Amino acid sequence: MSAEARRGEQFAPPLSHAELAFYDAVAHRDMAELMEGGQDTLAKIARALVKDIQKNLSVDWLSREPVRAKLRTRIRRVLAMFDYPPEEEREAVDLVLKQMEIVAALWAPAAK
């Protein structure tokens, strides 16, 4: 197993692949140095994002702007809960949404 594949194991509990993807999104620009609690706080944010997004994801989130706007708001709320720097929030939200596009097929409920 490569070092990249095991990167999530450095956290307690280890980050899943999805959580690690969101960790990377919120850890841009050396955020670990700016955040109180550093990497551990960013890992908590990643876990909270995954949990919240999976719970609130809808089938049509990629195609409907109102649904995407609601997801942006939910992401901002999670970031605010962990005192994420407001000046870095916009970029983090955009990066999280890009990660969501990658994993959406796995998470979105099946269309009926």
Side-chain angles (χ1 to χ4, degrees), residues 31-98:
M31 289 305 299
E33 296 173 12
L34 298 174
M35 298 285 301
E36 187 173 324
Q39 290 182 337
D40 290 335
T41 299
L42 293 173
K44 289 176 186 176
I45 292 171
R47 286 185 192 98
L49 283 169
V50 167
K51 186 176 183 179
D52 187 75
I53 292 167
Q54 283 180 327
K55 185 171 71 173
N56 293 290
L57 195 60
S58 65
V59 174
D60 57 355
W61 81 271
L62 280 170
S63 61
R64 293 189 48 216
E65 187 54 37
V67 177
R68 288 176 66 100
K70 182 179 175 185
L71 283 170
R72 280 189 204 93
T73 300
R74 297 195 71 78
I75 294 165
R76 284 188 188 98
R77 285 184 186 149
V78 170
L79 294 175
M81 284 179 3
F82 292 93
D83 296 324
Y84 198 85
E87 63 275 5
E88 300 293 336
E89 179 183 285
R90 178 182 213 116
E91 186 175 359
V93 170
D94 290 343
L95 291 170
V96 168
L97 284 171
K98 285 179 184 176

